[in-house]
Amino acid sequence: MYATVTQPLTFQEFLVWDDGSGREFELLDGIPVPLSEPNANHEDLIERLCAYLENHCQENDLPYVSRQSKQVRLKTAPPEKEKSRKADIVIFAKEEWQRMKTSSSSAAAYIPPPGIIEVVSNNWKDDYLTKLAEYEELGVLEYIIVDYAAFGGIRFIGSPKQPTITIYQLEDGEYLPAKVFRGQDGIDSRLFPNILLTAEQIFAMSH
């Protein structure tokens, strides 16, 4: 069910819009669309992974800031109405985050962020298909899909299904073939080149 608005909202109008219900929304063609609430495992993984990455960036002096549950402005061209995704974890450029700290506007990805992480839930097709295309078009350098409960289709995570991390990296405006990590595989990330995390350690953050 979509929210009732009298006319389509811009991204900036949407960021300050509130229907009073306390629900979370994304913007679809100018119309706020409510999101389903994540389960506790999903939420714990997002919170712990985001905190881990933030500490990693600070300790290694990386030019990034890791924040959870932030709106990402998608690419649209007139006369299209604006769209957004509420990403589980957004990796902002530190410079852009510092710029936002000087502004009274809501903190959000107004410009394409270097990285986005989505933790898969029941609507796995959104993460593996729809968002993949959206983030590629937006120019997100690294898109990481964390499928801790093996929700995804066999063509993405194999058979028998098992928890999988899939990483897409942008080159010349297109995502390269996916890198897939399971079990004790060490994560190979361009944004976090020295990270010492296995797939299993990330999955364990949901427990």
Side-chain angles (χ1 to χ4, degrees), residues 111-193:
I111 63 173
I116 290 178
I117 301 171
E118 296 286 9
V119 178
V120 181
S121 52
N122 288 321
N123 54 344
W124 59 267
K125 288 185 179 179
D126 279 355
D127 298 315
Y128 284 102
L129 294 168
T130 314
K131 292 179 187 178
L132 175 67
E134 290 170 343
Y135 296 156
E136 180 181 52
E137 185 181 19
L138 188 59
V140 175
L141 299 178
E142 190 159 73
Y143 174 37
I144 302 173
I145 303 172
V146 179
D147 196 345
Y148 71 95
F151 285 114
I154 288 170
R155 67 187 181 280
F156 299 109
I157 63 173
S159 179
K161 290 187 178 187
Q162 54 186 312
T164 301
I165 291 172
T166 307
I167 299 183
Y168 289 94
Q169 295 166 338
L170 200 72
E171 197 158 294
D172 297 328
E174 292 183 48
Y175 280 137
L176 298 171
K179 293 180 179 179
V180 175
F181 306 90
R182 303 183 181 95
Q184 296 306 311
D185 293 341
I187 299 305
D188 179 14
S189 164
R190 283 184 183 172
L191 296 184
F192 310 107

Side-chain angles (χ1 to χ4, degrees), residues 46-161:
I46 292 168
E47 187 169 326
R48 290 165 182 164
L49 180 56
C50 188
Y52 183 98
L53 293 175
E54 179 64 10
N55 289 335
H56 179 78
C57 288
Q58 291 180 9
E59 289 171 2
N60 292 272
D61 199 26
L62 297 177
Y64 306 117
V65 172
S66 174
R67 293 291 183 268
Q68 65 191 70
S69 301
K70 290 298 176 192
Q71 293 287 345
V72 177
R73 183 186 211 158
L74 297 180
K75 191 171 185 179
T76 53
E80 285 182 284
K81 303 294 189 291
E82 291 205 82
K83 295 180 284 191
S84 77
R85 286 289 187 182
K86 187 155 197 170
D88 289 328
I89 298 175
V90 177
I91 311 301
F92 290 92
K94 187 185 284 186
E95 191 176 283
E96 170 65 4
W97 188 259
Q98 291 299 326
R99 184 197 66 76
M100 282 194 283
K101 285 170 73 75
T102 66
S103 167
S104 60
S105 300
S106 301
Y110 298 89
I111 63 173
I116 290 178
I117 301 171
E118 296 286 9
V119 178
V120 181
S121 52
N122 288 321
N123 54 344
W124 59 267
K125 288 185 179 179
D126 279 355
D127 298 315
Y128 284 102
L129 294 168
T130 314
K131 292 179 187 178
L132 175 67
E134 290 170 343
Y135 296 156
E136 180 181 52
E137 185 181 19
L138 188 59
V140 175
L141 299 178
E142 190 159 73
Y143 174 37
I144 302 173
I145 303 172
V146 179
D147 196 345
Y148 71 95
F151 285 114
I154 288 170
R155 67 187 181 280
F156 299 109
I157 63 173
S159 179
K161 290 187 178 187

